[in-house]
Structures are given as C-alpha cells and as structure tokens.
Amino acid sequence: MRRVTVVFGTRPEAIKMCPLVNELKKREGIDVNVVVTGQHRQMLDQILNTFGVVPDYDLDIMKDEQTLFDITASVLEKMKDLLKDLAPDIVLVHGDTTTAFATALSCYYLQIPVGHVEAGLRTHDIYAPYPEEFNRQVLGIISKYHFAPTEAAKTNLISEGKSPDNIWVTGNTIVDAMRYTVKDEYSHPDLEWASDSKMILITAHRRENLGSPMHSMFRAIRRVLDEHKDVKAIYPVHMNPEVRKAAFEEFEGCENIRLIEPLNVVDFNNFESRCYLCITDSGGVQEECVSLGKPVLVMRSVTERGEGISAGTMKLVGSDEEKIYESLTELLDDASKYSKMLNVSDCYGDGHASERIADILTQG
Ligand code: UD1
Ligand code: UDP
C-alpha cells in the first residue's frame, strides 16, 4: 500500500487538487490522506464542500492580513510533527503558493519525496508573480516527481536540468474540475441582472498588484463602465481586506457593476462560461477562460501560461491605467478584434489529468 499525503491550503489549490484526491480515493493500492493548511479559510471551505472532500488534518493557520513570514513559519512549524507521524511515501503539493513551498521545504528537511502537481510554469522573474515564481522554482528543485500540465512546462523543467524520466505531461487538473462544474442548464440572479448587456467578469488579488497598481486597474475599469452603460460587470471580490478596500473605494456609486462575495467555483465557472469577457490577474482564471473560449485580459506584465496567448484567447494588459482602459475599450467597441479572441482551446488540458497522475502513482 502506497501512503500518499495530499497537501493544499488556498482556493485555487483546492480546485485543482480535489479532483485528484477523489480520483486517488478510487484507486486500490493507494492510501490517501488530505492535509489542509487553512492558509485560506472561507474560500477553501467553499471548495472542499463543493467537491465533498473532508480533510483528515486541518492546520487552520489563517490570520487576518497574514504575511509571508506568518504563513511560512506556521506551515513549517505545524508540518514538522504531522509529517513525522504520518510518514508518507510521497507528499503531493500544488502549484506555487506559500502552502506548497513551505510544505515541500518541510518534506525536504524530513527527506520525504515530493510530487509537484502543475510543475514547470515559469516567468523567470521571481518578483512576477511574487512570491509565486520563487515558490515554483524552489518546488522544482525539491520535487522528485514533476507533473507538468503542458509540453512548454516540461521544456522549462528540462532546461533547468531535471531528468525527463521524472517529468510527466498530464494536462492541468483545472480542466478536470470544469468537467464537473460547468453546466448547460444554469441560472443565477446576478446573471439575470446582466442578461440584457455585455457582461464583464472581474477578479483581482495578486500581491504585487496590491496598493497603487490595483487602484489603477480598478480606475481603468471604472472609466470604461462609466462610458459604456450597455455593459454590466460582476466582480466577486477576493477576501483580502486590502483588495476589498480598493475595490469598494474605486467602484463606489458605479451602477453597472455588482461587487459580490467570492462565488462558489460552480457558480464562478458558469459565470465565466456566460460572460462576454473576463479581466483578471488570476492564474487559474486564465486557464479556465481559454478552455471555455472566453476572451481574457490579464492585468499582469508577464504570464507563465503563455499557451493562451498563442491560442489567441488571452492578452496581457499589465496594471497601467491607460493600457487597461484602451484594451478593454477596444474589445468592447471593435467586434472583429473581439471575435478573433473567441477561441476554445484544450492547450491546458483535456479533463483527464487526475487520472494520468493517479495512474503514475499507482504504477510507481
Ligand atoms: C494566496 C496565494 C496566491 C494565490 C491566492 C489565491 C501565497 C503567498 N499566495 O494569495 O498564490 O494566487 O492565494 O487566491 O501563497 N482571506 C480571508 N479568507 C479567505 C482567504 C483569504 O479572510 O478564505 C484574507 C485574509 O485576511 C488573508 C488575506 O485574505 O490574510 C490574504 O490571504 P493570503 O493567502 O495571504 O494571500 P492571497 O492573496 O489570498
Ligand atoms: N474562483 C472561485 N470563485 C470566485 C473567483 C474565482 O471559485 O469568486 C476560482 C476560479 O474558478 C479559479 C480559481 O478560483 O479556479 C482561481 O483562484 P485565484 O484567482 O484566487 O488564484 P490563482 O489562480 O491566481 O492562484
């Protein structure tokens, strides 16, 4: 029996790891347990409920306005004894969060093998995104098994000297999740409200965008909304108090936007599949929009998910107010530019990544 411990702590990790947990639970020869750090609380619990995953251990570390020091120190401290007790054959972590980084570091200290899901994404700038690019690179060094979502991610790992024997291209498990969440029949009061308009879906939360860049981003969107009364925007606001303050300040009195609480992923994915376009600084939202063929403007200077740009569905617009204003206006006013971005692509996966990862773990 192979003892596999799956660790995650934030909303996006949960969305991308729950399909894998549920797949692993079906497999004979694998004894899986789930540890959540609770780096996110409400936003994590929403996802656990949706996928019916009940953690075996919950480190419950979240603090209001937590710093990177807080998260790293709490995870390291609490993982030490738990991992010693569990003594797993392998620990699976995901992506690039501080939960993943500090868990992998704990495993390294205890010499427990790590499997990295969504391995090999790179911008090669450790401040963009911050601290995620650093986390990914360190995870690449520590991990024994690299589950790369795309060929480009595999190429990145090979160029860093990782052995091809330890890299598997599996697709991204986010597409597995969407097979479960996106429905033909779906309705929601906020979608009804926006049904007579072009609907823009907004998210924002990146640490490097907090403060002045985020205000610029929101001001640009506000200007566009003020000039386009035929457009309605829905913005489920991230729970970070700094994000909320900026959002509520900049959109105050704006009648064609609804600022709402974070949506359950079933709702959010169905909003994505029905929106006119999405504007975001999120990683996962890029993958989802491209998979759904929805134009997505990315408020970042670089992306580690360049496949969507090659597919034509995604465009980088940075955090500069004028650039965002111009790009968003163009996409709303120029039908031919808009229709060129309507490309559905399976560049991030075919919806069977969890099965592939489970096959590899069952065999290995
Ligand atoms: C974290 C990850 C980021 C990921 C993002 C997904 C790190 C360093 N950052 O960033 O890579 O893209 O999650 O959303 O790992 N909060 C709540 N309830 C929640 C979640 C957050 O109140 O359920 C508030 C808390 O005040 C918390 C703050 O949001 O202190 C920030 O959370 P944190 O996990 O530190 O950073 P994120 O920006 O969410
Ligand atoms: N998401 C959600 N509810 C929301 C906004 C986003 O469930 O209100 C989901 C979205 O479908 C995607 C994931 O959250 O799968 C992206 O997470 P986030 O943007 O917080 O983090 P990132 O992907 O940037 O790490």
Side-chain angles (χ1 to χ4, degrees):
M1 188 65 87
R2 194 165 206 211
R3 281 163 307 154
V4 178
T5 295
V6 183
V7 182
F8 51 89
T10 64
R11 169 173 70 189
E13 295 169 274
I15 292 168
K16 293 168 168 181
M17 287 299 244
C18 284
L20 176 58
V21 167
N22 287 334
E23 183 62 34
L24 289 171
K25 284 192 170 155
K26 291 188 213 156
R27 302 297 179 112
E28 282 181 18
I30 292 201
D31 174 20
V32 58
N33 57 48
V34 176
V35 177
V36 295
T37 62
Q39 176 179 334
H40 284 174
R41 190 67 279 161
Q42 302 89 333
M43 284 162 52
L44 171 71
D45 294 344
Q46 267 186 334
I47 309 302
L48 293 169
N49 290 336
T50 298
F51 287 93
V53 170
V54 180
D56 299 288
Y57 302 90
D58 187 338
L59 308 186
D60 200 22
I61 65 162
M62 195 191 87
K63 292 203 291 199
D64 216 20
E65 300 186 49
Q66 60 203 1
T67 66
L68 298 176
F69 292 91
D70 296 326
I71 308 168
T72 307
S74 309
V75 173
L76 278 175
E77 195 51 48
K78 295 194 172 185
M79 269 307 163
K80 182 177 64 179
D81 293 332
L82 180 59
L83 287 177
K84 273 188 196 160
D85 287 348
L86 291 175
D89 296 314
I90 179 169
V91 170
L92 297 181
V93 295
H94 185 275
D96 52 24
T97 66
T98 296
T99 281
F101 157 67
T103 300
L105 186 58
S106 311
C107 292
Y108 169 69
Y109 289 158
L110 296 168
Q111 301 195 27
I112 298 169
V114 174
H116 187 198
V117 180
E118 199 184 83
L121 274 60
R122 294 289 183 272
T123 64
H124 306 289
D125 174 354
I126 57 168
Y127 290 98
Y130 164 84
E132 289 82 5
E133 176 68 12
F134 168 83
N135 290 343
R136 292 177 193 134
Q137 293 194 23
V138 175
L139 280 151
I141 293 170
I142 293 175
S143 299
K144 179 167 176 188
Y145 305 91
H146 308 272
F147 301 111
T150 64
E151 287 294 338
K154 177 177 178 177
T155 304
N156 288 334
L157 292 163
I158 288 175
S159 72
E160 290 172 2
K162 274 95 190 168
S163 163
D165 295 343
N166 297 334
I167 307 170
W168 293 266
V169 177
T170 60
N172 197 309
T173 55
I174 200 165
V175 189
D176 306 17
M178 290 171 75
R179 286 176 59 210
Y180 172 75
T181 56
V182 178
K183 300 173 196 309
D184 290 338
E185 293 295 313
Y186 175 83
S187 66
H188 189 284
D190 290 320
L191 283 183
E192 298 286 314
W193 168 75
S195 62
D196 60 348
S197 69
K198 292 176 178 168
M199 192 269 274
I200 299 178
L201 189 60
I202 304 168
T203 80
H205 71 84
R206 294 246 80 79
R207 226 164 246 266
E208 69 273 17
N209 281 338
L210 295 176
S212 147
M214 198 162 278
H215 281 273
S216 301
M217 287 155 49
F218 293 160
R219 270 201 303 275
I221 299 171
R222 169 81 193 247
R223 279 168 60 196
V224 175
L225 289 176
D226 285 346
E227 289 171 13
H228 292 78
K229 294 296 181 194
D230 58 325
V231 169
K232 285 185 179 163
I234 300 179
Y235 175 13
V237 187
H238 191 283
M239 295 194 77
N240 186 332
E242 234 187 297
V243 175
R244 296 177 89 79
K245 189 165 173 291
F248 284 96
E249 261 173 45
E250 296 294 348
F251 291 111
E252 198 196 344
C254 181
E255 283 175 2
N256 45 342
I257 189 169
R258 277 195 178 176
L259 302 188
I260 59 174
E261 290 306 310
L263 288 165
N264 182 288
V265 64
V266 172
D267 296 315
F268 190 78
N269 283 174
N270 282 288
F271 277 44
E272 281 174 315
S273 78
R274 286 155 178 85
C275 73
Y276 188 75
L277 65 89
C278 196
I279 184 159
T280 187
D281 64 7
S282 160
V285 174
Q286 296 174 47
E287 293 154 348
E288 290 167 341
C289 285
V290 171
S291 304
L292 291 164
K294 289 293 175 173
V296 53
L297 298 180
V298 181
M299 296 183 285
R300 294 171 49 177
S301 55
V302 284
T303 180
E304 58 295 283
R305 294 167 163 92
E307 294 87 349
I309 294 179
S310 307
T313 318
M314 197 165 111
K315 189 177 160 192
L316 287 177
V317 296
S319 58
D320 174 70
E321 182 175 336
E322 284 313 310
K323 176 85 193 304
I324 295 172
Y325 170 80
E326 279 162 23
S327 304
L328 189 52
T329 303
E330 182 182 74
L331 216 47
L332 289 169
D333 293 351
D334 187 332
S336 78
K337 289 231 162 79
Y338 176 76
S339 61
K340 284 200 183 98
M341 289 182 78
L342 290 171
N343 307 311
V344 176
S345 169
D346 65 359
C347 60
Y348 295 118
D350 63 358
H352 297 281
S354 304
E355 292 155 45
R356 291 189 190 97
I357 297 168
D359 286 347
I360 295 155
L361 293 170
T362 310
Q363 288 150 18

